[in-house]
Amino acid sequence: MKRPGLIIFALLVIAFSLITAISPHQLAWAEQSGRGQSLVARFMGDSREMFANQIFAKGDSYMHSGYYPTIFDGKKLHAPKAGESAEDHSAHKHDENGRCLADEGETDFLGKPLDWIDSFSRHFFITKHTHLENGQEREMLPWLKLAAEMDPSQVDIYTVAAFWLRTTVGKPKEAEEFLREGLRNNPNHPELLLELGKVYYENFHDVDRARNVWELAKMRWYKVEGPKEDADTLLLEQIVARLADMEYKAGNYQNALVNYKLLRQLSPVPQVIDEHVRKTQEMIDAQEKK
Amino acid sequence: MMTNAMALAGVVVREMYRRKDFYVLLILTVIITLAMGSVNFFNDDKIVRYLKELCLLLIWISTLVMAISMAARQLPMERESRTIFPLLAKPISRGEVILGKFLGCWFACGLALLVFYVFFSVLTGVREHDLPVLSYFQAIWLHWMMLGIVTAMVILGSLIFAAPSSNATISFVVSAGILLLGRHLNKVALQMSEPSSTILYTIYYNIPHLEIFDVRDLIVHNQPPIEWGWWALATPYAAVYIAIFLFAACWIFKRKSLSA
């Protein structure tokens, strides 16, 4: 063998020896630094959380068909919790062209044109506020998926995506899988459990699993949120309301009554709940007479 | 005048398809778009808008890079290889050289745009089962007009800046800056005190508003075509800036010593 060939062979032997020496250390290091993390997490580390909100906002801008304020507009289109916005959006009124009629003043963040360039340029970008509908909400899902990859601790991303998946997009199985992914990243989070219960109850009509999940959500709320000064009572109200209605429809009036009485304490309009308590009590009385 | 300029433009166009830049950018765009298109989001193959957005972004970046790099090297290359002297020895004026170089770069960009948008149309046609021809025509035209302004600006830059690399970098930063911030400069100026406000307003009123030609959001979100009257007005708006840059380039080129 000629000299260059020998040198190449020697280098290959050195490289092979080095890799056998380094490999165990490299595996140990990978385990320490979070094995099983996604590619995005490995590449970007904690910096990905910074981008998660931007990507979530991108998904929201898709919901509004691209009509979305920038940081220069100084106004927000909607500023509710992300988890609420999904259902809020579906409750908005729209005209026959899908144009949003809710809070017309609030949504008109552009205002009047400031000058002729501003006026002229408005013919070349989206200036009408419409929402995605009839299953087109699916278009925002890639951004929500990416946002969840970026910041798996943001539960709102999972609940918003699951809401659209199980309602207009018609993919409850995928909603369940995504919520389970959320639960793996945020174990036993009550908001995720509430949404998961909705999938079981409203889409799969599985009362027993829905009950189990919502009971767990209630229990977790008391454990996680209960001790907090600014506890999210709206979340507990939603969990208890769901449980109460489900038990009533299932004919478990005793359980329904317990939950309606708890809901009465939480509700801002207890008179409305009084009516439910009365009806449930009547059903219990009727059952006892039989 | 136009005959000489068109002959020179033909040489520039032929140069584009001899060089590898266009093919590399096209292949990269195709590969990245197809790779992203193969990603499965919740087992739903009807999701398409993110793909349209990504593909259009890649097309915009690719064509901007192509237009700037091509225009930035035209005159310096002629000077470095000293082919500018035999060229000007022919019955052709310096103004015709500038016009010919501009038209060549602009037509080459137009051809590249056509290829890119054919790919985009095929992609959206397959995924969305819809082809809004009028909207796409408006988008291509506006995109081409924008590239015309950028090309003219870069040709002027090639007579001002010492090296093609510095010209290309500055032109890219300026173009990207206008595309991202141009629309908002007036709002920022309103919140500033004097004299910063006046300076910013002066910039706002004088820069070519390239962002006007960027109608990607309308395409991505399936909006109806732009009103034809307003769309047509964008052409003279671009023509004014192209003319300003080319006249300035001719003026400088006529006074520039080529031997240095």
Side-chain angles (χ1 to χ4, degrees):
Chain A
M1 200 182 282
K2 283 181 181 174
R3 204 172 181 184
L6 282 170
I7 291 170
I8 290 169
F9 183 72
L11 286 171
L12 281 172
V13 170
I14 292 168
F16 183 77
S17 310
L18 277 174
I19 198 70
T20 53
I22 292 168
S23 188
H25 298 289
Q26 195 260 338
L27 280 174
W29 172 80
E31 266 175 27
Q32 277 174 1
S33 62
R35 218 167 111 190
Q37 281 183 334
S38 68
L39 198 67
V40 179
R42 275 168 182 264
F43 269 107
M44 299 181 71
D46 290 339
S47 68
R48 68 208 154 109
E49 288 173 20
M50 286 192 328
F51 298 100
N53 285 332
Q54 292 300 317
I55 296 168
F56 187 79
K58 184 79 187 167
D60 198 25
S61 82
Y62 268 48
M63 183 65 213
H64 298 277
S65 304
Y67 180 80
Y68 212 69
T70 64
I71 52 166
F72 299 100
D73 293 304
K75 287 181 185 172
K76 287 184 177 177
L77 204 57
H78 300 288
K81 273 176 66 182
E84 291 169 343
S85 68
E87 298 197 29
D88 284 352
H89 279 141
S90 58
H92 278 175
K93 287 179 180 174
H94 302 86
D95 66 10
E96 64 276 12
N97 299 318
R99 197 172 166 188
C100 184
L101 298 176
D103 306 320
E104 200 57 54
E106 183 197 337
T107 58
D108 184 21
F109 63 83
L110 288 170
K112 286 181 180 171
L114 296 170
D115 44 67
W116 72 267
I117 296 172
D118 192 6
S119 175
F120 179 52
S121 71
R122 286 187 189 194
H123 297 279
F124 298 85
F125 65 89
I126 297 166
T127 50
K128 279 183 184 168
H129 186 192
T130 56
H131 286 163
L132 293 177
E133 51 192 0
N134 304 326
Q136 283 196 324
E137 293 88 347
R138 61 168 54 89
E139 297 294 352
M140 58 193 247
L141 295 174
W143 300 107
L144 299 182
K145 177 91 175 163
L146 187 60
E149 282 272 316
M150 290 283 182
D151 188 2
S153 67
Q154 273 200 42
V155 292
D156 292 342
I157 298 168
Y158 296 102
T159 54
V160 171
F163 171 80
W164 293 115
L165 277 167
R166 73 181 173 82
T167 54
T168 52
V169 178
K171 289 190 175 285
K173 187 84 193 132
E174 282 73 12
E176 185 197 357
E177 281 170 17
F178 197 49
L179 286 168
R180 293 225 168 266
E181 187 187 316
L183 283 165
R184 276 194 294 279
N185 295 319
N186 307 276
N188 293 325
H189 195 288
E191 207 173 327
L192 292 171
L193 290 167
L194 169 66
E195 197 63 30
L196 186 62
K198 289 179 193 172
V199 176
Y200 288 136
Y201 186 64
E202 290 171 15
N203 299 93
F204 298 151
H205 310 292
D206 188 341
V207 176
D208 293 332
R209 290 185 86 175
R211 180 188 295 115
N212 291 341
V213 169
W214 280 336
E215 287 290 355
L216 177 63
K218 194 163 84 172
M219 202 172 79
R220 288 297 302 171
W221 188 93
Y222 282 111
K223 205 166 185 178
V224 178
E225 289 285 325
K228 289 181 187 171
E229 272 187 24
D230 57 338
D232 185 1
T233 50
L234 180 67
L235 177 59
L236 180 63
E237 197 187 320
Q238 286 178 329
I239 296 167
V240 174
R242 293 270 171 182
L243 263 172
D245 285 344
M246 186 196 67
E247 296 290 19
Y248 185 87
K249 282 176 188 162
N252 302 322
Y253 299 117
Q254 287 292 356
N255 288 347
L257 188 63
V258 171
N259 283 303
Y260 276 132
K261 282 181 177 173
L262 175 58
L263 186 60
R264 194 185 177 285
Q265 294 168 26
L266 298 165
S267 174
V269 275
Q271 316 82 279
V272 178
I273 312 300
D274 279 341
E275 181 63 16
H276 287 285
V277 172
R278 190 187 58 76
K279 272 187 190 171
T280 314
Q281 191 61 58
E282 280 175 12
M283 297 304 283
I284 292 169
D285 293 344
Q287 265 186 343
E288 281 172 357
K289 277 180 190 170
K290 280 182 189 174
Chain B
M1 183 178 181
M2 281 308 281
T3 318
N4 286 337
M6 290 305 280
L8 201 57
V11 176
V12 178
V13 173
R14 278 193 291 278
E15 183 207 323
M16 182 198 78
Y17 57 71
R18 273 203 302 270
R19 290 182 70 97
K20 305 285 182 289
D21 312 24
F22 166 65
Y23 305 107
V24 170
L25 290 167
L26 178 67
I27 289 166
L28 270 177
T29 302
V30 171
I31 289 174
I32 296 172
T33 307
L34 293 180
M36 287 306 295
S38 66
V39 177
N40 176 17
F41 291 108
F42 304 107
N43 303 320
D44 196 329
D45 57 2
K46 289 180 191 160
I47 299 173
V48 68
R49 291 191 187 182
Y50 80 97
L51 199 60
K52 285 163 74 179
E53 175 145 4
L54 177 80
C55 187
L56 282 175
L57 176 70
L58 291 170
I59 290 173
W60 268 74
I61 293 172
S62 300
T63 48
L64 209 54
V65 167
M66 234 179 66
I68 290 173
S69 62
M70 196 193 297
R73 66 171 175 258
Q74 289 306 319
L75 293 172
M77 200 175 65
E78 295 277 9
R79 284 178 69 189
E80 269 175 35
S81 60
R82 300 195 169 273
T83 48
I84 191 82
F85 299 111
L87 180 67
L88 288 174
K90 289 173 183 160
I92 185 168
S93 70
R94 291 191 179 197
E96 285 170 329
V97 171
I98 293 287
L99 186 64
K101 291 290 184 187
F102 164 75
L103 287 176
C105 292
W106 196 32
F107 290 156
C109 287
L111 285 173
L113 261 186
L114 270 180
V115 178
F116 275 113
Y117 274 91
V118 164
F119 167 67
F120 177 73
S121 306
V122 170
L123 179 87
T124 53
V126 168
R127 290 289 290 253
E128 223 170 20
H129 308 295
D130 186 27
L131 203 64
V133 180
L134 291 180
S135 295
Y136 286 7
F137 170 71
Q138 288 186 338
I140 296 172
W141 182 265
L142 292 172
H143 195 161
W144 193 42
M145 290 297 131
M146 189 280 298
L147 289 176
I149 299 175
V150 173
T151 305
M153 185 176 76
V154 177
I155 284 180
L156 172 64
S158 68
L159 294 163
I160 296 170
F161 300 108
S165 55
S166 56
N167 179 24
T169 309
I170 292 166
S171 300
F172 196 79
V173 170
V174 168
S175 306
I178 294 173
L179 283 167
L180 293 171
L181 302 172
R183 182 179 291 164
H184 308 293
L185 288 180
N186 57 344
K187 294 169 209 156
V188 179
L190 272 178
Q191 293 160 9
M192 293 174 96
S193 56
E194 291 296 343
S196 317
S197 176
T198 307
I199 294 169
L200 204 57
Y201 255 123
T202 310
I203 294 170
Y204 173 77
Y205 278 114
N206 284 294
I207 55 169
H209 283 268
L210 302 178
E211 78 280 358
I212 287 175
F213 304 90
D214 180 3
V215 292
R216 282 178 295 154
D217 274 352
L218 298 177
I219 299 288
V220 169
H221 296 287
N222 297 336
Q223 297 291 312
I226 304 159
E227 282 174 51
W228 288 99
W230 292 110
W231 171 82
L233 265 179
T235 305
Y237 178 81
V240 167
Y241 279 99
I242 291 171
I244 290 169
F245 287 132
L246 290 183
F247 274 120
C250 287
W251 189 76
I252 294 172
F253 194 45
K254 277 177 183 170
R255 279 152 187 79
K256 205 171 176 76
S257 164
L258 297 172
S259 53

